[in-house]
Amino acid sequence: GILVEKEIQLAELVWICAQPKDLPNFPEDSLIFQLIDGMYVSPDVPLQLSQAPMLLNKTHDKIRLTDLCTNATRLSQLQQQRVQTEEQVELHHRTVAAQGLVVFSRMHQVRELNRMVTQTETIAAEIESCRLSLAAEETELEFRRSNLLARATALAAAQRQLLVNRKRFQYQEIKLRQAKERQEKAHDKLYQRQLKMIRELSMVYPIEHDEASRCWMICKCSLPSVRTFHQTDSYPHELQEQFAAATGNVAHVATVLSRYLQFPVQHPTKFLSSRSSIFIDRTRTSLDFPLYERGMDRIMFNFGLHLLCTNIQLMAKSLHINGRELEEQSILMLLHLIYRKASLTSPPEEEIEIVDEVASSASASASSQHSFQMNWRSQSAQ
């Protein structure tokens, strides 16, 4: 098949015949149209004049020609209507185009409005979230305020309790200061009483220094220093008995002083007048060292004197007696220093009150002194 493209006005077609069999001869490549009422050709198709009478010889052809004229008139009318319709369509297109522009502008406005609505909704959502966050923060602030109020109340209660405790502490401090002052006064009174009892003890067991023999004496019984005993081999029996009485007196004085001063001696003594001894107390056994030479080992006796001298040195240090005299191993000189310490301290004007323990120890020491003095006098008479 051949595709033929040609622009033809349908209103200018020429009717030829009613049926295709009645068609006359046309040149090749002629364009023939078969419509409802018959066959039509284009006006530019050449027709032979001899064919025209043949085409119009029939009545029907005449009718067709009349119809053709009518159709031509109608076609012209239709063409006019078509032109008007085209004008109306053009006007309608313009109107539609104008309305389209309006609709487009309105659609653009609607899109803008939708965008604004979306932005408004977003802003509203953000405002709502901010409101919720502010509400949460407000709740948290309220909770913190409640906690702060509770802490402030607790702090106020603690401050009140602190003030009460401070007053109690000040009251207890005042009481403690008063108790400390009373304790110091009692300690001073006890110390003065101890010194007074030492002075009284010095009257019972007087210690003197013999300028002729250059020796210290207690109750008229001389006692050389420990160093002298170490340097001397032996003494006569009369001097040995005198030294034994002196060491017995010193042992008793040391025992009484330890009770007066409430000072635990390092090496306890066993007082038996001129047959006293001193011992080293151990966990299981104790070693006794005699304080008399007659009938005893000289080394044991010398070591016993050394232990007794150590006890008296420690008691002198407890009374704050210091100096080169402590280095001298003279027992009676150390006791004389203790007596002098007590005599240099003036007794208080008011009556001294002491505790029952000190009073009981003083009474016990006085009784022991009286019994020892009676024993010593009987031995001296013998």
Side-chain angles (χ1 to χ4, degrees), residues 188 191-196 198-199 319 321 337-348 352:
D188 293 338
Y191 183 69
Q192 295 296 333
R193 183 61 178 172
Q194 289 174 347
L195 296 179
K196 182 180 179 180
I198 292 174
R199 287 194 297 271
L319 292 174
I321 299 174
L337 292 176
I338 294 174
Y339 286 170
R340 189 175 65 178
K341 175 73 175 181
S343 62
L344 291 178
T345 306
S346 60
I352 299 176

Side-chain angles (χ1 to χ4, degrees), residues 48-59:
Q48 296 179 5
L49 295 176
S50 59
Q51 296 176 353
M54 182 183 62
L55 296 173
L56 299 174
N57 55 4
K58 295 182 180 180
T59 304

Side-chain angles (χ1 to χ4, degrees), residues 10 21 39-40 46 73 104 172 174 185 190 203 218 252 318 337 368 377 381:
L10 297 177
K21 62 183 180 177
M39 309 300 293
Y40 288 86
T73 304
F104 180 76
Q172 294 293 335
I174 293 172
K185 290 181 180 179
L190 179 61
M203 296 177 184
I218 180 171
H252 188 261
S318 67
L337 292 176
S368 62
R377 286 179 180 177

Side-chain angles (χ1 to χ4, degrees), residues 328-342:
E328 298 292 335
Q329 294 183 351
S330 178
I331 298 175
L332 295 182
M333 186 183 68
L334 294 175
L335 289 178
H336 176 71
L337 292 176
I338 294 174
Y339 286 170
R340 189 175 65 178
K341 175 73 175 181

